[in-house]
Amino acid sequence: DQQVKQNSPSLSVQEGRISILNCDYTNSMFDYFLWYKKYPAEGPTFLISISSIKDKNEDGRFTVFLNKSAKHLSLHIVPSQPGDSAVYFCAASEGGETSGSRLTFGEGTQLTVNP
Amino acid sequence: KAGVTQTPRYLIKTRGQQVTLSCSPISGHRSVSWYQQTPGQGLQFLFEYFSETQRNKGNFPGRFSGRQFSNSRSEMNVSTLELGDSALYLCASSRPRVGANVLTFGAGSRLTVL
């Protein structure tokens, strides 16, 4: 049972345009949501997170939107740059000090930004 | 400051063998968690150790085990290897806090089982 789903395995955008990566979840107990980026031969690196009490969090070119009623979140990258080409993972946690490291990940979306 | 270090980076084993993977967390991070990544799947949580105690465990068989030492370094062991155990094993460390912990991952250990 996939509790976090990223339905698009790949996304291709032009440099300078907006990239929108989507993620859906089913577990109502999830309290925190995170996005990680992964380059080949490297471990995932943290990008941005959002608490369930918010609907938007922004950090530079990256903005995450959360729609709790739809159990949907999205990551917007504006403007997209070729260096953003990577696999993006959506992850969720039930939060709390003892379960905060137990993240449930989606399958990932390969983003390609074309110059 | 040094990141999360995993060894070995690559290894090949045959079915039935066992394997031990090692992880050195970021200095000061007392929580170490392990994830398995297989093709077409996201990262799947194996277990988490904090202060030498297993605090959380994912849905993996008992062949998968781990431990943490007093210096926070961690090892995971897989016994009686199966072909399906071929995967990238990722270790992550963090400082526990309220809310989701921001995990810092190592580059992973890629295990191939023949």
Side-chain angles (χ1 to χ4, degrees):
Chain A
D1 173 33
Q2 196 74 17
Q3 296 185 62
V4 176
K5 284 190 73 65
Q6 294 176 255
N7 290 314
S8 299
S10 63
L11 174 68
S12 182
V13 300
Q14 285 299 118
E15 181 179 5
R17 298 289 186 98
I18 183 171
S19 294
I20 300 176
L21 296 101
N22 294 302
C23 178
D24 296 296
Y25 64 95
T26 57
N27 186 345
S28 300
M29 299 298 290
F30 286 146
D31 231 10
Y32 288 87
F33 303 88
L34 309 91
W35 285 93
Y36 279 81
K37 175 172 73 174
K38 187 179 186 300
Y39 294 117
E42 295 183 14
T45 55
F46 171 74
L47 265 179
I48 191 169
S49 65
I50 187 167
S51 159
S52 62
I53 63 173
K54 296 187 174 183
D55 54 20
K56 176 183 174 182
N57 188 26
E58 195 171 348
D59 184 1
R61 297 186 298 114
F62 302 91
T63 303
V64 57
F65 295 92
L66 175 63
N67 182 333
K68 277 191 71 177
S69 60
K71 293 191 174 66
H72 177 83
L73 66 156
S74 60
L75 174 69
H76 292 209
I77 306 173
V78 184
S80 301
Q81 300 172 353
D84 295 330
S85 297
V87 177
Y88 288 78
F89 290 99
C90 167
S93 167
E94 294 186 19
E97 193 175 316
T98 56
S99 60
S101 289
R102 183 173 186 152
L103 301 183
T104 301
F105 282 83
E107 307 93 322
T109 296
Q110 171 69 57
L111 173 65
T112 302
V113 181
N114 301 303
Chain B
K1 82 184 169 183
V4 177
T5 303
Q6 292 188 244
T7 56
R9 289 292 311 276
Y10 303 91
L11 65 167
I12 300 174
K13 293 285 187 178
T14 56
R15 279 183 300 174
Q17 288 187 310
Q18 73 164 11
V19 66
T20 299
L21 309 177
S22 179
C23 173
S24 293
I26 289 174
S27 178
H29 285 190
R30 293 166 62 195
S31 170
V32 174
S33 48
W34 289 87
Y35 287 81
Q36 180 197 64
Q37 185 186 10
T38 51
Q41 302 245 354
L43 285 69
Q44 294 183 285
F45 176 77
L46 279 156
F47 28 64
E48 181 206 1
Y49 287 86
F50 179 76
S51 293
E52 303 177 63
T53 301
Q54 187 180 88
R55 190 158 69 170
N56 277 297
K57 190 177 191 309
N59 297 323
F60 279 82
R63 299 186 296 107
F64 292 81
S65 63
R67 59 178 175 167
Q68 186 180 35
F69 302 95
S70 58
N71 62 358
S72 294
R73 192 177 69 85
S74 177
E75 289 181 348
M76 69 162 281
N77 183 277
V78 188
S79 62
T80 320
L81 284 166
E82 300 176 359
L83 295 179
D85 297 332
S86 295
L88 180 66
Y89 290 89
L90 291 157
C91 166
S93 73
S94 66
R95 280 198 185 91
R97 63 184 179 100
V98 174
N101 295 336
V102 174
L103 306 183
T104 301
F105 284 88
S109 294
R110 183 164 294 281
L111 170 66
T112 301
V113 182
L114 303 177

